[in-house]
């Protein structure tokens, strides 16, 4: 139960953290000359944050258990017995 609450809390703060990471004052910290693999550092940073958000949401969705309504579960059990 505590692990579920921790995951739900992480799910609540994940979008907030993502918005903070793409706010202009923080993004402008990476607006420097140079590049990574031929891309400017600012693009690399933004795509890195984007990828981090996608992977984090995927991992979070796998960690949270699914809540099946009891009526549907009982109906499936009854159908299997037939």
């Amino acid at each position: 139960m505590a692990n579920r609450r921790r995951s739900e809390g992480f799910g609540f703060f994940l979008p907030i953290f993502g918005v903070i990471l793409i706010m202009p004052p923080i993004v402008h910290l990476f607006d420097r000359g140079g590049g990574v693999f031929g891309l400017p550092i600012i693009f690399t940073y933004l795509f890195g944050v984007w990828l981090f958000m996608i992977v984090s949401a995927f991992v979070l969705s796998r960690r949270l258990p699914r809540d099946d309504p009891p009526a549907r579960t009982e109906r499936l059990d009854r159908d299997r017995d037939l």
Side-chain angles (χ1 to χ4, degrees):
M1 185 67 168
N3 195 17
R4 179 180 172 90
R5 284 188 182 181
R6 184 179 303 152
S7 296
E8 287 175 352
F10 182 69
F12 177 76
F13 286 109
L14 182 65
I16 295 170
F17 184 63
V19 167
I20 290 171
L21 288 177
I22 62 171
M23 289 183 77
I26 294 177
V27 171
H28 285 300
L29 293 174
F30 297 93
D31 193 14
R32 306 280 185 238
V36 177
F37 300 116
L39 291 172
I41 293 175
I42 192 169
F43 291 150
T44 307
Y45 171 74
L46 289 173
F47 281 113
V49 169
W50 177 65
L51 182 64
F52 169 75
M53 295 297 293
I54 290 173
V55 170
S56 298
F58 177 77
V59 169
L60 180 66
S61 72
R62 295 295 179 197
R63 290 188 71 193
L64 286 174
R66 299 198 186 269
D67 289 335
D68 285 338
R72 181 171 186 238
T73 305
E74 291 172 5
R75 185 175 55 223
L76 290 175
D77 290 340
R78 186 180 61 221
D79 291 343
R80 284 188 201 140
D81 292 336
L82 295 178

Coordinates of all heavy atoms in Angstrom, one line a residue:
M1 N 0.8 -1.2 0.0 CA 0.0 0.0 0.0 C 0.9 1.3 0.0 O 0.6 2.2 -0.7 CB -0.9 0.0 1.2 CG -1.9 1.1 1.3 SD -3.1 0.9 -0.1 CE -4.3 2.1 0.4
A2 N 1.9 1.2 0.8 CA 2.8 2.4 0.8 C 3.5 2.6 -0.5 O 3.7 3.7 -0.9 CB 3.8 2.2 2.0
N3 N 3.9 1.5 -1.2 CA 4.5 1.6 -2.4 C 3.6 2.2 -3.5 O 4.0 3.0 -4.3 CB 5.0 0.2 -2.9 CG 6.0 0.3 -4.0 OD1 6.6 1.3 -4.3 ND2 6.2 -0.8 -4.7
R4 N 2.3 1.9 -3.4 CA 1.3 2.4 -4.3 C 1.2 3.9 -4.1 O 1.1 4.7 -5.0 CB 0.0 1.8 -4.2 CG -1.1 2.3 -5.1 CD -2.4 1.7 -4.9 NE -3.5 2.3 -5.6 CZ -3.8 2.1 -6.9 NH1 -3.2 1.1 -7.5 NH2 -4.8 2.7 -7.5
R5 N 1.2 4.4 -2.8 CA 1.1 5.8 -2.5 C 2.3 6.5 -3.0 O 2.2 7.6 -3.5 CB 0.9 6.0 -1.0 CG -0.5 5.7 -0.5 CD -0.6 6.1 0.9 NE -2.0 5.8 1.3 CZ -2.4 6.0 2.5 NH1 -1.6 6.6 3.4 NH2 -3.6 5.7 2.9
R6 N 3.4 5.9 -2.9 CA 4.7 6.6 -3.4 C 4.6 6.7 -4.9 O 4.9 7.8 -5.4 CB 5.9 5.7 -3.0 CG 7.2 6.4 -3.4 CD 8.4 5.6 -3.0 NE 8.3 5.3 -1.5 CZ 8.9 4.3 -1.0 NH1 9.5 3.4 -1.7 NH2 8.8 4.2 0.3
S7 N 4.1 5.7 -5.6 CA 4.0 5.8 -7.1 C 2.9 6.8 -7.5 O 3.1 7.5 -8.4 CB 3.6 4.4 -7.6 OG 4.6 3.5 -7.4
E8 N 1.8 6.9 -6.7 CA 0.8 7.9 -7.1 C 1.4 9.3 -6.8 O 1.1 10.2 -7.6 CB -0.4 7.7 -6.2 CG -1.2 6.5 -6.7 CD -2.4 6.2 -5.8 OE1 -2.5 6.8 -4.7 OE2 -3.2 5.3 -6.2
G9 N 2.1 9.5 -5.8 CA 2.7 10.8 -5.5 C 3.7 11.2 -6.6 O 3.8 12.3 -7.0
F10 N 4.5 10.2 -7.0 CA 5.4 10.4 -8.2 C 4.6 10.8 -9.4 O 5.1 11.7 -10.2 CB 6.3 9.2 -8.4 CG 7.3 9.4 -9.5 CD1 8.4 10.2 -9.3 CD2 7.2 8.7 -10.7 CE1 9.3 10.4 -10.3 CE2 8.1 8.8 -11.7 CZ 9.2 9.7 -11.5
G11 N 3.5 10.1 -9.6 CA 2.7 10.4 -10.8 C 2.1 11.8 -10.7 O 1.9 12.5 -11.8
F12 N 1.8 12.3 -9.5 CA 1.3 13.7 -9.4 C 2.4 14.7 -9.7 O 2.1 15.7 -10.3 CB 0.8 13.8 -7.9 CG 0.3 15.2 -7.7 CD1 -0.9 15.7 -8.1 CD2 1.1 16.1 -6.9 CE1 -1.4 16.9 -7.9 CE2 0.6 17.4 -6.6 CZ -0.6 17.8 -7.1
F13 N 3.6 14.5 -9.2 CA 4.7 15.5 -9.4 C 5.4 15.3 -10.7 O 6.2 16.3 -11.0 CB 5.7 15.4 -8.2 CG 5.1 16.0 -6.9 CD1 4.7 15.1 -5.9 CD2 4.9 17.3 -6.8 CE1 4.2 15.7 -4.7 CE2 4.4 17.9 -5.7 CZ 4.0 17.1 -4.6
L14 N 5.3 14.3 -11.4 CA 6.0 14.1 -12.7 C 5.7 15.2 -13.7 O 6.6 15.8 -14.2 CB 5.7 12.7 -13.3 CG 6.4 12.4 -14.6 CD1 7.9 12.3 -14.3 CD2 5.9 11.1 -15.1
P15 N 4.4 15.5 -13.9 CA 4.1 16.6 -14.9 C 4.6 18.0 -14.4 O 5.1 18.8 -15.2 CB 2.6 16.6 -15.1 CG 2.1 15.4 -14.4 CD 3.2 14.9 -13.5
I16 N 4.5 18.2 -13.1 CA 5.0 19.5 -12.5 C 6.5 19.6 -12.7 O 7.0 20.7 -13.1 CB 4.6 19.6 -11.0 CG1 3.0 19.6 -10.9 CG2 5.2 20.8 -10.4 CD1 2.5 19.5 -9.5
F17 N 7.2 18.5 -12.4 CA 8.6 18.5 -12.6 C 9.0 18.8 -14.1 O 9.9 19.5 -14.4 CB 9.2 17.2 -12.1 CG 10.7 17.1 -12.2 CD1 11.5 18.0 -11.4 CD2 11.3 16.2 -13.0 CE1 12.9 17.9 -11.4 CE2 12.7 16.1 -13.0 CZ 13.5 16.9 -12.3
G18 N 8.2 18.1 -15.0 CA 8.5 18.3 -16.4 C 8.2 19.8 -16.9 O 9.0 20.3 -17.7
V19 N 7.2 20.4 -16.4 CA 6.9 21.8 -16.7 C 8.1 22.7 -16.2 O 8.5 23.6 -16.9 CB 5.6 22.3 -16.1 CG1 5.4 23.8 -16.2 CG2 4.5 21.6 -16.9
I20 N 8.5 22.4 -15.0 CA 9.6 23.2 -14.4 C 10.9 23.1 -15.3 O 11.6 24.1 -15.5 CB 9.9 22.8 -13.0 CG1 8.8 23.3 -12.1 CG2 11.3 23.4 -12.5 CD1 8.8 22.7 -10.7
L21 N 11.2 21.9 -15.8 CA 12.3 21.6 -16.6 C 12.3 22.4 -17.9 O 13.3 22.6 -18.5 CB 12.6 20.1 -16.8 CG 13.1 19.4 -15.6 CD1 13.2 17.9 -15.9 CD2 14.4 19.9 -15.1
I22 N 11.1 22.6 -18.5 CA 11.0 23.3 -19.8 C 10.7 24.8 -19.7 O 10.4 25.4 -20.7 CB 10.1 22.6 -20.7 CG1 8.6 22.6 -20.2 CG2 10.6 21.2 -21.0 CD1 7.6 22.1 -21.2
M23 N 10.7 25.3 -18.5 CA 10.5 26.8 -18.3 C 11.6 27.6 -18.9 O 12.8 27.1 -18.8 CB 10.2 27.1 -16.8 CG 8.9 26.6 -16.3 SD 8.6 27.1 -14.6 CE 8.1 28.8 -14.9
P24 N 11.4 28.7 -19.5 CA 12.4 29.5 -20.2 C 13.7 29.8 -19.3 O 14.8 29.7 -19.9 CB 11.7 30.8 -20.6 CG 10.3 30.3 -20.8 CD 10.0 29.3 -19.7
P25 N 13.6 30.1 -18.1 CA 14.8 30.4 -17.3 C 15.8 29.2 -17.3 O 17.0 29.4 -17.4 CB 14.4 30.8 -15.9 CG 13.0 31.3 -16.1 CD 12.4 30.5 -17.2
I26 N 15.2 28.0 -17.2 CA 16.1 26.8 -17.1 C 16.5 26.4 -18.5 O 17.7 26.1 -18.7 CB 15.3 25.7 -16.4 CG1 15.1 26.1 -14.9 CG2 16.1 24.4 -16.5 CD1 14.3 25.1 -14.1
V27 N 15.7 26.5 -19.5 CA 16.1 26.2 -20.8 C 17.2 27.1 -21.3 O 18.1 26.7 -22.0 CB 14.8 26.2 -21.8 CG1 15.2 26.1 -23.2 CG2 13.8 25.1 -21.4
H28 N 17.1 28.4 -21.0 CA 18.1 29.3 -21.4 C 19.5 29.0 -20.8 O 20.5 29.5 -21.4 CB 17.7 30.8 -21.1 CG 16.6 31.3 -22.1 ND1 16.8 31.3 -23.4 CD2 15.4 31.7 -21.8 CE1 15.7 31.8 -24.0 NE2 14.8 32.0 -23.0
L29 N 19.6 28.3 -19.8 CA 20.9 27.9 -19.3 C 21.6 27.0 -20.3 O 22.8 26.9 -20.3 CB 20.7 27.1 -17.9 CG 20.2 27.9 -16.8 CD1 19.9 26.9 -15.6 CD2 21.1 29.0 -16.3
F30 N 20.9 26.3 -21.1 CA 21.5 25.4 -22.1 C 21.6 26.1 -23.5 O 21.9 25.4 -24.5 CB 20.7 24.1 -22.2 CG 20.7 23.3 -20.9 CD1 19.7 23.5 -20.0 CD2 21.7 22.5 -20.7 CE1 19.7 22.8 -18.8 CE2 21.7 21.7 -19.5 CZ 20.7 21.9 -18.6
D31 N 21.3 27.3 -23.6 CA 21.4 28.1 -24.8 C 22.8 28.6 -25.0 O 23.0 29.8 -25.0 CB 20.4 29.2 -24.9 CG 20.2 29.8 -26.3 OD1 20.6 29.2 -27.2 OD2 19.6 30.9 -26.3
R32 N 23.7 27.7 -25.2 CA 25.1 28.1 -25.3 C 25.6 27.6 -26.7 O 25.0 26.7 -27.3 CB 26.0 27.4 -24.2 CG 25.5 27.7 -22.8 CD 26.0 29.1 -22.4 NE 25.7 29.4 -21.0 CZ 24.9 30.4 -20.7 NH1 24.4 31.2 -21.5 NH2 24.6 30.6 -19.4
G33 N 26.8 28.0 -27.1 CA 27.4 27.5 -28.3 C 27.8 26.1 -28.2 O 27.9 25.5 -27.1
G34 N 28.0 25.4 -29.3 CA 28.4 24.0 -29.3 C 27.2 23.1 -29.6 O 26.1 23.6 -29.9
G35 N 27.5 21.9 -29.6 CA 26.5 20.9 -29.9 C 26.8 19.5 -29.5 O 28.0 19.2 -29.1
V36 N 25.8 18.7 -29.6 CA 26.0 17.3 -29.3 C 25.4 16.5 -30.5 O 24.3 16.7 -30.9 CB 25.2 16.8 -28.1 CG1 25.3 15.4 -27.8 CG2 25.7 17.6 -26.9
F37 N 26.3 15.7 -31.2 CA 25.9 15.0 -32.4 C 25.4 15.9 -33.5 O 24.5 15.6 -34.2 CB 24.9 13.9 -32.1 CG 25.4 12.9 -31.1 CD1 24.7 12.7 -29.9 CD2 26.5 12.1 -31.4 CE1 25.2 11.8 -29.0 CE2 26.9 11.1 -30.5 CZ 26.2 11.0 -29.3
G38 N 25.9 17.1 -33.6 CA 25.6 18.1 -34.6 C 24.3 18.9 -34.3 O 23.9 19.7 -35.1
L39 N 23.7 18.6 -33.1 CA 22.5 19.4 -32.7 C 22.9 20.4 -31.6 O 23.8 20.1 -30.8 CB 21.5 18.5 -32.1 CG 20.8 17.5 -33.1 CD1 19.9 16.6 -32.3 CD2 19.9 18.3 -34.1
P40 N 22.3 21.6 -31.6 CA 22.6 22.5 -30.6 C 22.3 22.0 -29.2 O 21.4 21.1 -29.1 CB 21.7 23.7 -30.9 CG 21.4 23.6 -32.3 CD 21.4 22.2 -32.6
I41 N 23.0 22.4 -28.2 CA 22.8 21.8 -26.8 C 21.3 22.0 -26.4 O 20.8 21.2 -25.7 CB 23.8 22.5 -25.9 CG1 25.2 22.0 -26.2 CG2 23.5 22.1 -24.4 CD1 26.3 22.6 -25.4
I42 N 20.7 23.1 -26.7 CA 19.3 23.4 -26.2 C 18.4 22.4 -26.8 O 17.5 21.9 -26.1 CB 18.9 24.9 -26.6 CG1 17.6 25.2 -25.8 CG2 18.8 25.0 -28.1 CD1 17.3 26.7 -25.9
F43 N 18.5 22.0 -28.1 CA 17.7 20.9 -28.6 C 17.9 19.6 -27.9 O 17.0 18.8 -27.7 CB 17.9 20.8 -30.1 CG 17.4 22.0 -30.9 CD1 18.0 22.3 -32.1 CD2 16.3 22.7 -30.5 CE1 17.6 23.4 -32.8 CE2 15.9 23.8 -31.2 CZ 16.5 24.1 -32.4
T44 N 19.2 19.3 -27.7 CA 19.5 18.1 -27.0 C 18.9 18.0 -25.6 O 18.3 17.0 -25.2 CB 21.0 17.9 -26.9 OG1 21.6 18.0 -28.2 CG2 21.4 16.6 -26.3
Y45 N 18.9 19.1 -24.9 CA 18.3 19.2 -23.6 C 16.8 19.0 -23.7 O 16.2 18.2 -22.9 CB 18.6 20.6 -22.9 CG 17.9 20.8 -21.7 CD1 18.2 20.2 -20.5 CD2 16.7 21.7 -21.7 CE1 17.5 20.4 -19.3 CE2 16.0 21.9 -20.5 CZ 16.4 21.2 -19.3 OH 15.7 21.4 -18.2
L46 N 16.1 19.7 -24.6 CA 14.7 19.6 -24.7 C 14.3 18.2 -25.1 O 13.3 17.6 -24.5 CB 14.1 20.6 -25.7 CG 14.2 22.0 -25.2 CD1 13.8 23.0 -26.3 CD2 13.3 22.2 -24.0
F47 N 15.0 17.6 -26.0 CA 14.6 16.2 -26.4 C 15.0 15.2 -25.2 O 14.3 14.2 -25.0 CB 15.3 15.8 -27.7 CG 14.6 16.3 -28.9 CD1 15.2 17.2 -29.7 CD2 13.3 15.9 -29.2 CE1 14.6 17.7 -30.8 CE2 12.7 16.4 -30.3 CZ 13.3 17.3 -31.1
G48 N 16.0 15.5 -24.5 CA 16.3 14.7 -23.3 C 15.3 14.7 -22.2 O 14.9 13.7 -21.7
V49 N 14.7 15.9 -22.0 CA 13.6 16.1 -21.0 C 12.4 15.4 -21.5 O 11.7 14.7 -20.8 CB 13.3 17.6 -20.7 CG1 12.1 17.7 -20.0 CG2 14.5 18.2 -20.0
W50 N 12.1 15.5 -22.8 CA 11.0 14.8 -23.4 C 11.1 13.3 -23.3 O 10.1 12.6 -22.9 CB 10.9 15.3 -24.9 CG 9.8 14.6 -25.7 CD1 8.5 14.8 -25.5 CD2 10.0 13.8 -26.8 NE1 7.8 14.0 -26.5 CE2 8.7 13.4 -27.3 CE3 11.1 13.3 -27.4 CZ2 8.6 12.6 -28.3 CZ3 10.9 12.4 -28.5 CH2 9.7 12.1 -29.0
L51 N 12.3 12.8 -23.6 CA 12.5 11.3 -23.5 C 12.4 10.9 -22.0 O 11.8 9.8 -21.7 CB 13.8 11.0 -24.0 CG 14.2 9.5 -24.0 CD1 13.2 8.7 -24.9 CD2 15.6 9.3 -24.5
F52 N 12.9 11.7 -21.1 CA 12.8 11.3 -19.7 C 11.4 11.3 -19.2 O 11.0 10.4 -18.5 CB 13.6 12.4 -18.9 CG 13.4 12.3 -17.4 CD1 13.9 11.3 -16.6 CD2 12.5 13.2 -16.8 CE1 13.7 11.2 -15.3 CE2 12.3 13.1 -15.4 CZ 12.8 12.1 -14.7
M53 N 10.6 12.2 -19.7 CA 9.2 12.2 -19.3 C 8.4 11.0 -19.8 O 7.6 10.4 -19.1 CB 8.5 13.5 -19.8 CG 9.0 14.8 -19.1 SD 8.8 14.8 -17.4 CE 7.0 15.0 -17.3
I54 N 8.7 10.6 -21.0 CA 8.0 9.5 -21.6 C 8.4 8.2 -20.9 O 7.6 7.4 -20.5 CB 8.4 9.4 -23.1 CG1 7.7 10.5 -23.9 CG2 8.0 8.0 -23.7 CD1 8.1 10.6 -25.3
V55 N 9.7 8.0 -20.7 CA 10.2 6.8 -20.0 C 9.7 6.7 -18.6 O 9.3 5.7 -18.1 CB 11.8 6.7 -20.0 CG1 12.3 5.6 -19.1 CG2 12.2 6.5 -21.5
S56 N 9.7 7.9 -17.9 CA 9.2 7.9 -16.5 C 7.7 7.6 -16.4 O 7.3 6.8 -15.6 CB 9.4 9.3 -15.9 OG 10.8 9.6 -15.8
A57 N 6.9 8.1 -17.4 CA 5.5 7.8 -17.4 C 5.3 6.3 -17.7 O 4.4 5.7 -17.1 CB 4.8 8.6 -18.4
F58 N 6.1 5.7 -18.6 CA 5.9 4.3 -18.9 C 6.3 3.4 -17.7 O 5.5 2.5 -17.4 CB 6.9 4.0 -20.1 CG 6.9 2.5 -20.4 CD1 5.8 2.0 -21.1 CD2 7.9 1.7 -20.0 CE1 5.8 0.6 -21.4 CE2 7.9 0.3 -20.4 CZ 6.8 -0.2 -21.1
V59 N 7.4 3.7 -17.0 CA 7.8 3.0 -15.8 C 6.7 3.1 -14.7 O 6.3 2.1 -14.1 CB 9.1 3.4 -15.3 CG1 9.5 2.9 -14.0 CG2 10.2 3.0 -16.3
L60 N 6.2 4.3 -14.6 CA 5.2 4.5 -13.6 C 3.9 3.7 -13.9 O 3.3 3.2 -13.0 CB 4.8 6.0 -13.5 CG 3.8 6.4 -12.4 CD1 4.3 6.1 -11.0 CD2 3.4 7.9 -12.6
S61 N 3.5 3.7 -15.2 CA 2.3 3.0 -15.5 C 2.4 1.5 -15.3 O 1.5 0.8 -15.0 CB 1.9 3.3 -17.0 OG 2.8 2.6 -17.9
R62 N 3.7 1.0 -15.4 CA 3.9 -0.4 -15.2 C 3.9 -0.8 -13.7 O 3.6 -1.9 -13.3 CB 5.2 -0.9 -15.8 CG 5.2 -0.8 -17.3 CD 4.2 -1.8 -17.8 NE 4.2 -1.7 -19.3 CZ 3.2 -2.2 -20.0 NH1 2.2 -2.8 -19.4 NH2 3.3 -2.0 -21.3
R63 N 4.3 0.2 -12.8 CA 4.4 -0.1 -11.4 C 3.1 0.0 -10.7 O 2.9 -0.7 -9.7 CB 5.3 1.0 -10.8 CG 6.8 0.7 -11.2 CD 7.7 1.6 -10.4 NE 7.7 1.1 -9.0 CZ 8.3 1.8 -8.0 NH1 8.8 2.9 -8.2 NH2 8.3 1.3 -6.8
L64 N 2.1 0.8 -11.2 CA 0.8 0.9 -10.6 C 0.0 -0.3 -10.9 O -0.2 -0.6 -12.1 CB 0.1 2.2 -11.0 CG 0.7 3.5 -10.4 CD1 0.0 4.7 -11.1 CD2 0.5 3.5 -8.9
P65 N -0.6 -0.9 -9.9 CA -1.5 -2.1 -10.2 C -2.8 -1.6 -10.8 O -3.3 -0.5 -10.6 CB -1.8 -2.7 -8.9 CG -1.5 -1.6 -7.9 CD -0.5 -0.7 -8.5
R66 N -3.4 -2.4 -11.7 CA -4.7 -2.0 -12.3 C -5.8 -2.3 -11.3 O -5.8 -3.3 -10.6 CB -4.9 -2.8 -13.6 CG -3.8 -2.6 -14.6 CD -4.3 -3.0 -15.9 NE -3.2 -2.9 -16.9 CZ -3.0 -1.8 -17.6 NH1 -3.7 -0.8 -17.5 NH2 -2.0 -1.8 -18.5
D67 N -6.8 -1.4 -11.3 CA -8.0 -1.6 -10.5 C -9.1 -2.1 -11.4 O -9.7 -1.3 -12.1 CB -8.4 -0.3 -9.8 CG -7.4 0.1 -8.7 OD1 -6.7 -0.8 -8.2 OD2 -7.3 1.3 -8.4
D68 N -9.4 -3.4 -11.3 CA -10.6 -3.9 -12.0 C -11.8 -3.8 -11.1 O -11.8 -4.1 -10.0 CB -10.4 -5.4 -12.4 CG -9.4 -5.6 -13.5 OD1 -9.2 -4.6 -14.3 OD2 -8.9 -6.7 -13.6
P69 N -12.9 -3.3 -11.7 CA -14.2 -3.2 -10.9 C -14.6 -4.6 -10.5 O -14.4 -5.6 -11.3 CB -15.2 -2.6 -11.9 CG -14.4 -2.1 -13.0 CD -13.1 -2.8 -13.0
P70 N -15.1 -4.8 -9.3 CA -15.4 -6.1 -8.8 C -16.5 -6.8 -9.6 O -16.5 -8.0 -9.8 CB -16.0 -5.9 -7.4 CG -15.6 -4.5 -7.0 CD -15.2 -3.8 -8.3
A71 N -17.4 -6.1 -10.2 CA -18.5 -6.6 -11.0 C -18.0 -7.3 -12.2 O -18.4 -8.4 -12.6 CB -19.5 -5.6 -11.3
R72 N -17.0 -6.7 -12.9 CA -16.5 -7.3 -14.1 C -15.7 -8.5 -13.7 O -15.7 -9.5 -14.5 CB -15.6 -6.3 -14.8 CG -15.0 -6.8 -16.0 CD -14.2 -5.8 -16.8 NE -13.8 -6.3 -18.1 CZ -12.6 -6.4 -18.5 NH1 -11.6 -5.9 -17.8 NH2 -12.3 -7.0 -19.7
T73 N -14.9 -8.5 -12.7 CA -14.1 -9.7 -12.3 C -15.1 -10.9 -11.9 O -14.8 -12.0 -12.3 CB -13.3 -9.3 -11.0 OG1 -12.5 -8.2 -11.3 CG2 -12.4 -10.5 -10.7
E74 N -16.1 -10.6 -11.2 CA -17.1 -11.7 -10.9 C -17.7 -12.2 -12.1 O -17.9 -13.4 -12.3 CB -18.1 -11.1 -9.9 CG -17.6 -10.8 -8.5 CD -18.6 -10.1 -7.7 OE1 -19.8 -10.0 -8.1 OE2 -18.3 -9.7 -6.6
R75 N -18.1 -11.4 -13.1 CA -18.7 -11.8 -14.3 C -17.7 -12.7 -15.1 O -18.1 -13.7 -15.7 CB -19.2 -10.6 -15.1 CG -19.9 -11.0 -16.4 CD -20.5 -9.8 -17.1 NE -19.4 -8.9 -17.4 CZ -19.5 -7.6 -17.3 NH1 -20.6 -7.0 -16.9 NH2 -18.5 -6.8 -17.6
L76 N -16.5 -12.3 -15.2 CA -15.5 -13.1 -15.9 C -15.3 -14.5 -15.2 O -15.2 -15.5 -15.9 CB -14.1 -12.4 -16.0 CG -14.1 -11.2 -16.9 CD1 -12.8 -10.5 -16.8 CD2 -14.4 -11.5 -18.3
D77 N -15.3 -14.5 -13.9 CA -15.1 -15.8 -13.2 C -16.4 -16.7 -13.5 O -16.2 -17.9 -13.6 CB -15.0 -15.5 -11.7 CG -13.6 -14.9 -11.4 OD1 -12.7 -15.1 -12.2 OD2 -13.5 -14.3 -10.3
R78 N -17.5 -16.1 -13.5 CA -18.8 -16.8 -13.7 C -18.8 -17.4 -15.1 O -19.2 -18.5 -15.4 CB -20.0 -15.9 -13.5 CG -21.3 -16.7 -13.6 CD -22.5 -15.8 -13.3 NE -22.5 -14.8 -14.4 CZ -22.8 -13.5 -14.1 NH1 -23.1 -13.1 -12.9 NH2 -22.8 -12.6 -15.1
D79 N -18.3 -16.6 -16.1 CA -18.3 -17.1 -17.5 C -17.3 -18.2 -17.7 O -17.5 -19.1 -18.5 CB -17.9 -15.9 -18.4 CG -19.1 -14.9 -18.5 OD1 -20.2 -15.3 -18.1 OD2 -18.8 -13.8 -19.0
R80 N -16.2 -18.2 -17.0 CA -15.2 -19.3 -17.1 C -15.7 -20.6 -16.5 O -15.3 -21.7 -17.0 CB -13.9 -18.9 -16.3 CG -13.1 -17.9 -17.0 CD -11.8 -17.7 -16.3 NE -11.2 -16.4 -16.7 CZ -10.6 -15.6 -15.9 NH1 -10.4 -15.9 -14.7 NH2 -10.2 -14.5 -16.4
D81 N -16.6 -20.6 -15.5 CA -17.1 -21.7 -14.9 C -18.1 -22.5 -15.8 O -18.3 -23.7 -15.7 CB -17.8 -21.4 -13.6 CG -16.8 -21.0 -12.5 OD1 -15.6 -21.4 -12.7 OD2 -17.2 -20.3 -11.6
L82 N -18.6 -21.8 -16.8 CA -19.6 -22.4 -17.7 C -19.0 -23.3 -18.7 O -18.2 -23.7 -19.1 CB -20.4 -21.3 -18.4 CG -21.3 -20.4 -17.6 CD1 -22.0 -19.4 -18.4 CD2 -22.3 -21.3 -16.9

